[in-house]
Amino acid sequence: MSSPPQLLRLWFLQVRYAATRELAFRANFFIWVIVELAWFVLQLAFVGVVYQHVDSIAGWSRPQMIVLVATNQLIQQIFTAFFMPGLVKLPELVREGKLDFVLLKPTPPQFLISTSHLEIGPLANALIAAVVVATALHDLHITPSLPSFLLYLLLLLAGLLTHYALLLTLVSLTFWIIQAESVLLGYYSIFQVARLPREAAKGWFRVLFTFALPLLLVANIPANTLLRGWQPGSLVLFLLTSLSATLVASLFFQLGLRRYQSASS
Amino acid sequence: MIDSLPALPTVFSIGLQRQFAYRWNYLLRALFSAMPLLVSWVFWGAVFQDKKTVGPYTLGSLLTYYAVLLVVESVSSPADDDFQISREIREGSLNSILLRPLPYGLYRGALFLAGRCAYLVAALIPVALCFVLLSRVVPLELGSLDLGRGLPALLGSALLQFSLTLCLSLTSFWLLDISALIFLVYSLEFLAGGHVFPLDLLPPSLFQISQFLPFAYEYWFPAASLCGTLSHSAWLIGLARQFSWALFFLLLAKTLWQAGLKKYTAAGG
């Protein structure tokens, strides 16, 4: 079972099962919405405090910076809902030998691992982030055109791919390192770069996080498309780098998979 | 309690061995911990592009604050002690620890100390590298570091963070999953503790409020003490508040432990 329509059908089934499982624990759902919201408020508070002392940072005004931070939050929350819960379970699957059960199934293991779990809570927070983006645009008196909006959605997908590529690479380290729980800390640490305005980065930092790991593009390009219209060069660059990062991450996962030796008896 | 003190070095040694069994995990963790400093450098570099000072800070003094914060975090922040304690209670492995003639708080304290020592060793290289790299591009104000005031504040921070962690983990006697509670407190620690920005960048009224909460004494106070930006009286008042909060949480942990044990049941060997 590996043709794209079949995989899509399987994914929908998994989403439905995971959603049912999640909603069985409603109190847990609401608690996690509050926890994630607290982290978003923290980021907005940071923006608020810094802009008390300055009017502009690297050419970004306060509401523009809010569009950037909220766009980053939007992408991260969608990723957290659909792909992160499955990916972060890989170290445990490898350490305890439970990956055997995944490998026995007639479906690509990368697909099964990436989509096996779902969290509904982050979707509520993604919605809140979208409202914050809309409010900031309203403050700036900007009404995006339909093509800009559709392009924004496409760029959010490219952002999701970049998140996916980085986390897949990090969790795949588990094939070499027995206890790789620190990778989640690594993911959160590295993705702080995505909240930076691209113009603030200079030299090797800008080159590294634009071409090798396109984190400076993840939220900047979609936010810029809403705020300043689309720029073909940046857009093509972002789509190409996010696709190639995903490809490299998949190859790295396959390489790791070859090293896997079952831990079960 | 005094009878159990000779056992503590053994617990400490076991803790160290446990930590170093997963060296790569530690090294990765330490390596990633330097990332926020790099991001701060880029972000604040842009903020200071047209300004010499922001609040009471120059770019050099602000980045020194963030660099010192890395050291504070290495020395005083628990790694996964909270989840370990929670697991011991939830899965019943607490039984074997209860049978030992060693108070649980002291046992966890020795393991916490071992974890911090192991992490400090692993973090030393990336943190030192960060200091060297940053000082090449920005004049870090390391000459003004005040170890005399900083070290007691660092000790207080470790004690406060350990006691707060103990309190949070012991709620596992009543709650099935404490991870949401822990992450909620993390977010408060990050914001009100001065982890995201130094608290003296807050508007004065909010800064005053932050001084009455325990979080300021986890990160901001020890970092500011080490950076030497506090007056002697502010440092003395801060230290008194820090140790008072630590004592408060230690007493609370003792109460929670005693109440929790009355409720605790575990079956099996």
Side-chain angles (χ1 to χ4, degrees):
Chain A
M1 185 195 251
S2 56
S3 73
Q6 282 172 321
L7 288 180
L8 198 65
R9 191 168 157 266
L10 182 62
W11 186 62
F12 277 126
L13 285 173
Q14 282 185 313
V15 166
R16 205 172 67 180
Y17 168 67
T20 313
R21 196 177 47 194
E22 275 280 295
L23 289 173
F25 303 101
R26 276 182 282 278
N28 197 47
F29 165 80
F30 286 114
I31 290 168
W32 277 106
V33 169
I34 293 168
V35 171
E36 290 289 345
L37 191 62
W39 283 96
F40 184 38
V41 169
L42 188 147
Q43 291 171 36
L44 294 177
F46 176 63
V47 172
V49 167
V50 176
Y51 277 91
Q52 278 224 319
H53 300 276
V54 288
D55 299 322
S56 159
I57 300 169
W60 292 66
S61 66
R62 184 174 172 275
Q64 286 175 329
M65 187 66 86
I66 290 175
V67 172
L68 178 72
V69 170
T71 297
N72 184 53
Q73 171 79 355
L74 179 58
I75 299 168
Q76 185 152 33
Q77 291 299 311
I78 296 173
F79 178 70
T80 306
F82 289 109
F83 302 109
M84 191 197 258
L87 286 176
V88 296
K89 295 223 163 25
L90 182 64
E92 189 188 327
L93 290 177
V94 172
R95 199 173 53 241
E96 296 179 3
K98 291 178 187 164
L99 192 64
D100 296 7
F101 302 111
V102 176
L103 296 176
L104 284 172
K105 289 176 184 160
T107 312
Q110 188 186 329
F111 173 84
L112 276 181
I113 290 161
S114 309
T115 60
S116 59
H117 289 77
L118 170 84
E119 281 178 16
I120 307 275
L123 288 180
N125 280 304
L127 195 67
I128 293 169
V131 171
V132 173
V133 170
T135 311
L137 286 176
H138 181 261
D139 288 348
L140 288 161
H141 308 290
I142 292 175
T143 312
S145 63
L146 184 64
S148 286
F149 178 69
L150 292 176
L151 208 54
Y152 180 73
L153 295 182
L154 174 72
L155 292 167
L156 292 187
L157 281 177
L160 278 179
L161 276 184
T162 314
H163 274 263
Y164 179 78
L166 180 70
L167 191 58
L168 180 63
T169 307
L170 287 173
V171 293
S172 296
L173 287 174
T174 197
F175 291 111
W176 287 270
I177 303 165
I178 298 168
Q179 199 191 41
E181 268 71 11
S182 289
V183 296
L184 198 58
L185 175 78
Y187 165 79
Y188 282 119
S189 301
I190 294 174
F191 253 95
Q192 291 186 18
V193 174
R195 289 200 298 266
L196 289 171
R198 196 173 159 214
E199 294 76 5
K202 305 267 187 297
W204 63 267
F205 189 93
R206 186 170 172 139
V207 173
L208 175 69
F209 289 109
T210 299
F211 298 103
L213 264 176
L215 305 186
L216 276 174
L217 309 178
V218 168
N220 272 268
I221 303 298
N224 252 326
T225 304
L226 285 183
L227 294 168
R228 296 160 184 145
W230 67 293
Q231 294 149 327
S234 309
L235 200 138
V236 172
L237 174 71
F238 183 33
L239 292 176
L240 283 178
T241 47
S242 61
L243 281 171
S244 45
T246 311
L247 191 68
V248 171
S250 298
L251 289 173
F252 188 60
F253 171 80
Q254 298 297 335
L255 192 70
L257 206 54
R258 282 193 214 153
R259 277 180 59 91
Y260 175 69
Q261 290 172 317
S262 172
S264 56
S265 54
Chain B
M1 191 169 120
I2 293 169
D3 293 347
S4 59
L5 289 181
L8 287 181
T10 313
V11 177
F12 177 82
S13 160
I14 291 169
L16 267 187
Q17 287 170 38
R18 250 192 229 172
Q19 304 293 344
F20 282 118
Y22 300 111
R23 296 175 281 278
W24 275 104
N25 193 46
Y26 252 77
L27 202 63
L28 273 181
R29 198 182 153 94
L31 206 65
F32 290 137
S33 70
M35 199 64 205
L37 185 59
L38 209 59
V39 172
S40 300
W41 165 55
V42 173
F43 181 81
W44 287 102
V47 173
F48 277 91
Q49 207 154 37
D50 304 318
K51 293 188 82 138
K52 283 220 162 69
T53 57
V54 170
Y57 292 94
T58 59
L59 180 59
S61 64
L62 192 63
L63 289 177
T64 307
Y65 173 84
Y66 282 110
V68 165
L69 206 59
L70 264 186
V71 178
V72 172
E73 202 178 9
S74 307
V75 174
S76 63
S77 295
D80 64 340
D81 300 61
D82 33 21
F83 289 105
Q84 278 177 25
I85 297 172
S86 175
R87 248 193 326 270
E88 281 170 0
I89 295 171
R90 213 177 50 243
E91 295 173 2
S93 53
L94 190 63
N95 294 2
S96 62
I97 304 164
L98 286 175
L99 289 173
R100 294 173 200 171
L102 180 67
Y104 186 69
L106 277 182
Y107 168 74
R108 288 306 326 180
L111 289 180
F112 169 75
L113 200 63
R116 292 303 81 212
C117 288
Y119 186 67
L120 194 63
V121 171
L124 216 57
I125 298 165
V127 169
L129 258 177
C130 268
F131 271 83
V132 171
L133 283 175
L134 268 182
S135 58
R136 282 191 175 185
V137 284
V138 184
L140 288 180
E141 297 176 8
L142 297 173
S144 59
L145 287 186
D146 187 345
L147 291 179
R149 285 184 189 161
L151 291 180
L154 210 53
L155 183 73
S157 165
L159 193 63
L160 175 59
Q161 297 208 41
F162 169 69
S163 56
L164 180 59
T165 299
L166 209 52
C167 286
L168 289 172
S169 327
L170 292 177
T171 57
S172 294
F173 281 119
W174 296 272
L175 302 173
L176 192 62
D177 180 13
I178 60 161
S179 48
L181 178 70
I182 285 173
F183 282 112
L184 197 64
V185 175
Y186 275 173
S187 67
L188 280 172
E189 284 173 333
F190 266 59
L191 185 64
H195 205 285
V196 186
F197 51 81
L199 293 178
D200 36 4
L201 284 183
L202 281 169
S205 54
L206 288 178
F207 175 68
Q208 286 305 322
I209 294 171
S210 75
Q211 298 304 292
F212 288 100
L213 299 172
F215 310 114
Y217 304 99
E218 292 184 77
Y219 297 112
W220 179 79
F221 176 69
S225 300
L226 273 167
C227 289
T229 53
L230 295 175
S231 68
H232 188 63
S233 59
W235 178 72
L236 278 178
I237 293 169
L239 201 67
R241 285 181 181 164
Q242 187 186 44
F243 277 90
S244 305
W245 274 116
L247 188 66
F248 167 77
F249 283 119
L250 280 176
L251 291 174
L252 182 65
K254 192 177 178 195
T255 312
L256 286 171
W257 172 253
Q258 284 166 346
L261 273 191
K262 284 182 190 156
K263 195 181 175 297
Y264 178 73
T265 48

